Structures are given as C-alpha cells and as structure tokens.
Amino acid sequence: MATTKWTIDPTHSEIGFKVKHMMFTNVSGKFDKYEGTIETEENDFTTAKISFSATIDSIDTRNTDRDNHLKSNDFFDAENHPKLTFTGKSFSKINENNYELTGDLNIRGVAKEIKLPVEFSGLMQDPWGNTKVGLNIEGKINRKEWGLNWNSALETGGVLVGEEVKLIIDLQLVKA
C-alpha cells in the first residue's frame, strides 16, 4: 500500500480550548501557531501516524495579560517548554463517522496518554481538485496532570481557574 501524507490547512482549522473562570463561566482560547503531520496507508485513517505541536507563545485568549500569565511558569512555562506536542498511538474506528484517537500529550515535559473522541466528516474534493478530510475532536483533560497547578481562591468560595480543560479541535486536512 502507498503512504499518503496529510497536512493541516490552517485557514480552515482551529486548535481551541475552554476552561471555567470563577467556577461559572468559560474562558475560550486557541493556539495560532501549530503544525502536524499525518501519514496513512492510502486513505485508511485507522493506520494513521500522527504528530502535532503547538507553539505556546501563540496562545490567544483575547486578553494580553491573561495570555502572558498562561505563558509564564505558573502555567505553560513557555521559556523552558516552548511547545506542547501530541504523538498518536492509535486511531480506532468505532463506527462509520466516529473514531477514538489515543496518544501521548506532552506539556511542560510531562507526557500522559489521552483518549479523544473524533468525528470523521469524510473525504471530499474541493473545487480546486484537492482531497480533504474533516476531523472534529472534542475531549477533556485535567490540567493539573501536566503540572499546570496555579490557582487563586475566591472570597466567595471556590477557585478562579477550573481544573478541567475542554479541548475543541477542528481540523481540515489536505492530501499532499
């Protein structure tokens, strides 16, 4: 079988997240700089070899002070750990449009295996003849498992930043 290489189309993709703020609303953010490679046998994504990285300095929550705090040693420690990475281990088909992606997420030098549900939107050709695939990935991780422990107690009880991080990743891949 022939190896097929796929690249992320950055104009039609987003690597995003949400975290509870003050225990009752969400703060959304995304990474503006990222790269990934995916190799499959033909168009069979169950054979996918996946590697991905995001540049911590590209974090964007629409608030410069908060972004700078996230880049600091309190959270991502961008100076010593400039990228977060993900290396896929398996991409298992559950049914026609649903898969489970398993791999190692490395943040701050700590690698942990995670499993994420993936909605496979299918293969199609765009008007310019490019073969594309859509993947929607949503999952949850606990930031403290990667050493992102900073928090502040609220006078009314509770904490400023939630532990659970919702990952919201929309990818459009282009066949190379």
Side-chain angles (χ1 to χ4, degrees), residues 69-82:
H69 190 201
L70 289 170
K71 295 173 193 178
S72 78
N73 189 43
D74 284 343
F75 288 97
F76 287 103
D77 190 15
E79 184 177 332
N80 294 305
H81 304 283

Side-chain angles (χ1 to χ4, degrees), residues 16-138:
F17 60 88
K18 288 185 179 185
V19 178
K20 285 282 186 202
H21 178 254
M22 294 178 52
M23 302 190 59
F24 75 105
T25 60
N26 285 313
V27 168
S28 297
K30 61 182 177 144
F31 291 94
D32 291 326
K33 293 181 184 171
Y34 51 85
E35 57 190 21
T37 57
I38 295 129
E39 291 183 359
T40 59
E41 291 178 13
E42 302 293 335
N43 294 331
D44 180 4
F45 276 78
T46 62
T47 66
K49 294 178 184 170
I50 300 168
S51 64
F52 171 84
S53 67
T55 303
I56 300 302
D57 274 339
S58 75
I59 200 165
D60 179 9
T61 63
R62 297 175 303 171
N63 180 293
T64 302
D65 290 339
R66 179 172 45 228
D67 294 347
N68 288 335
H69 190 201
L70 289 170
K71 295 173 193 178
S72 78
N73 189 43
D74 284 343
F75 288 97
F76 287 103
D77 190 15
E79 184 177 332
N80 294 305
H81 304 283
K83 293 187 180 222
L84 65 79
T85 62
F86 177 84
T87 305
K89 292 181 174 179
S90 68
F91 196 82
S92 305
K93 189 171 188 173
I94 295 170
N95 58 40
E96 185 178 342
N97 297 322
N98 295 292
Y99 289 74
E100 181 177 72
L101 175 59
T102 302
D104 290 329
L105 178 61
N106 189 319
I107 302 173
R108 290 181 61 117
V110 176
K112 299 267 185 193
E113 183 177 279
I114 62 171
K115 294 182 180 198
L116 299 170
V118 179
E119 180 186 347
F120 183 82
S121 299
L123 282 150
M124 69 171 298
Q125 266 200 342
D126 69 15
W128 301 273
N130 300 303
T131 302
K132 296 200 170 186
V133 167
L135 301 174
N136 300 343
I137 305 167
E138 293 194 18

